Amino acid sequence: MKPTAYRIVVEGELGSPRYSAAFAQMQVETGECTTEIVGMVEDQAELQGLLDTVTALGLSLVSVTPLGD
């Protein structure tokens, strides 16, 4: 897998520094009732790690989308 940009959307507005620290290399954008976590993912292992972090923080996953070139 080549590095790919992904958008991960979770329920809720994550304004706490705790969440920003958990996704430090990603851009975290809070919207109405959801938060988008966007950034480059090097490989499947890193993507799985991000999804594991979502689960460990007790967040509800809405979607995971690779972003086009």
Side-chain angles (χ1 to χ4, degrees), residues 12-61:
E13 297 176 17
L14 310 181
S16 166
R18 171 185 176 203
Y19 297 113
S20 296
F23 303 105
Q25 298 178 346
M26 308 289 277
Q27 183 177 355
V28 178
E29 297 181 14
T30 301
E32 275 191 43
C33 301
T34 62
T35 298
E36 292 186 0
I37 303 161
V38 180
M40 292 301 292
V41 176
E42 293 297 318
D43 55 26
Q44 287 295 117
E46 184 178 2
L47 179 59
Q48 186 60 55
L50 289 167
L51 297 176
D52 288 345
T53 299
V54 167
T55 300
L57 292 171
L59 303 173
S60 295
L61 183 65

